[in-house]
Amino acid sequence: MRIQQNLPTPNGVQPSGTGSLNLPLGATYYGIWLDISDGTTAMTAAEVEKRIKNIRLKVNGTQIRHYALASYLIGINQAHGIETRFGSAEGDKSARLVMYFAEPQRRTPNGEDIFAWHMYPKCGATSFTVEFDITSSASSAINVQVGREYIVLPDANIPAKMPNLIWHSSQTLPNDSAGSPMTSTLQRTAYTRIHAIGGAGCIDGAKVKVDGLTIREFRNLVEYKDYCFMHGLNVIANWLTVPFDETDRFSDILDLRAANSFELEYVTKTAGALTLLLEEYKGL
């Protein structure tokens, strides 16, 4: 049975500070969460974004996940079919941001559990840390609490080596002129999804090539939306998500380790850089 546990208050939670907490080792993690409040503000998505940024998860000192903006984490979860609980003026004012490791949208229990993070010294985990920056806009009453959902495996079932993890990272893709295709040559690892974020009306299409073969092509936003509706995927304003696991089977990962080339090309209607959010499956 999974255990849900509230953890000690992170250090450094104050305006312009850096919150941090060393998460306990010796467990299989299904997810962790941040509960954000200040006692008076209804923590909507916009209010959370004003107060929290640069959320980071590190394993053995290596940054495995980074969300420069809280909206990146919220959007990735929404793309996976998972909504975020925000505060309201009428009810609880806090908001909860959840970072999932085992992914609830997977079709089978095994498909969900296979991505859980095994944070045991026996398989090489020496530290597991969550960090986040508090902006200067936060009041002195800002409060962030951390919790986890986990199990403890019998010693005989703990992997001898830490399995691969789903990494989340972002990078900027320059856009020099409106309407010009922009090509990104990314690392040849393994990907579950790649998200592009642009300004209002910026992104108009995308194409993915592996070894010269086009494996995904959306010539315009209508084709992209049709694809999402066909597979029961959420459409997020100003996002274009290229899923390689659209059937939510854990085996549907684009593994490029043996590929010779990998290109992701976007078509834009307006000028402005794109932000790429990468979901990669790889080891430490």
Side-chain angles (χ1 to χ4, degrees):
M1 183 182 72
R2 296 185 187 184
I3 300 169
Q4 289 190 340
Q5 180 186 33
N6 295 315
L7 297 171
T9 299
N11 298 315
V13 179
Q14 60 189 27
S16 301
T18 296
S20 65
L21 181 67
N22 292 323
L23 302 169
L25 299 177
T28 296
Y29 279 75
Y30 291 88
I32 69 168
W33 61 82
L34 305 179
D35 286 337
I36 302 160
S37 64
D38 67 4
T40 58
T41 306
M43 291 295 171
T44 62
E47 295 297 334
V48 168
E49 189 121 304
K50 290 178 185 177
R51 292 162 174 81
I52 302 287
K53 64 179 182 179
N54 287 324
I55 302 168
R56 308 176 294 279
L57 282 174
K58 297 180 179 179
V59 176
N60 297 353
T62 298
Q63 184 170 280
I64 307 299
R65 294 196 177 181
H66 175 228
Y67 310 99
L69 301 176
S71 59
Y72 293 175
L73 172 57
I74 293 164
I76 284 178
N77 286 343
Q78 188 178 0
H80 289 179
I82 303 166
E83 297 297 329
T84 296
R85 182 191 65 75
F86 295 111
S88 66
E90 298 77 21
D92 192 291
K93 291 181 169 57
S94 69
R96 172 169 288 191
L97 301 184
V98 182
M99 286 162 274
Y100 294 94
F101 310 133
E103 299 181 337
Q105 79 274 11
R106 299 295 172 185
R107 289 192 175 201
T108 65
N110 182 53
E112 178 180 352
D113 293 351
I114 199 170
F115 294 122
W117 288 17
H118 298 289
M119 296 292 107
Y120 299 91
K122 181 178 179 179
C123 61
T126 59
S127 66
F128 185 25
T129 308
V130 60
E131 299 174 351
F132 48 88
D133 294 339
I134 306 294
T135 71
S136 59
S137 300
S139 74
S140 59
I142 186 68
N143 183 280
V144 181
Q145 297 296 319
V146 179
R148 64 172 178 163
E149 186 172 67
Y150 73 100
I151 63 170
V152 177
L153 293 175
D155 188 71
N157 294 344
I158 297 173
K161 179 182 178 181
M162 188 183 300
N164 288 350
L165 308 172
I166 298 286
W167 299 49
H168 291 170
S169 64
S170 61
Q171 61 180 254
T172 300
L173 193 62
N175 180 12
D176 294 330
S177 61
S180 296
M182 303 188 308
T183 299
S184 171
T185 303
L186 301 171
Q187 291 186 343
R188 295 192 298 274
T189 55
Y191 296 88
T192 56
R193 299 185 181 196
I194 297 176
H195 314 267
I197 307 171
C202 178
I203 309 173
D204 194 42
K207 181 188 293 185
V208 182
K209 294 180 180 180
V210 177
D211 291 341
L213 175 67
T214 299
I215 64 168
R216 296 282 190 281
E217 183 175 18
F218 310 116
R219 293 172 295 181
N220 51 58
L221 278 184
V222 173
E223 289 189 355
Y224 168 66
K225 291 178 180 179
D226 285 344
Y227 180 87
C228 290
F229 277 99
M230 183 172 70
H231 291 283
L233 303 174
N234 285 333
V235 175
I236 303 172
N238 304 322
W239 284 49
L240 193 153
T241 296
V242 179
F244 305 110
D245 62 344
E246 67 274 13
T247 63
D248 282 331
R249 294 182 174 91
F250 70 88
S251 57
D252 287 347
I253 289 177
L254 181 63
D255 190 343
L256 298 164
R257 288 173 293 181
N260 294 313
S261 66
F262 174 47
E263 295 178 76
L264 179 55
E265 182 180 282
Y266 292 96
V267 178
T268 58
K269 282 185 173 181
T270 61
L274 301 184
T275 297
L276 296 187
L277 300 182
L278 310 177
E279 297 187 48
E280 293 181 81
Y281 184 59
K282 59 185 181 180
L284 279 174

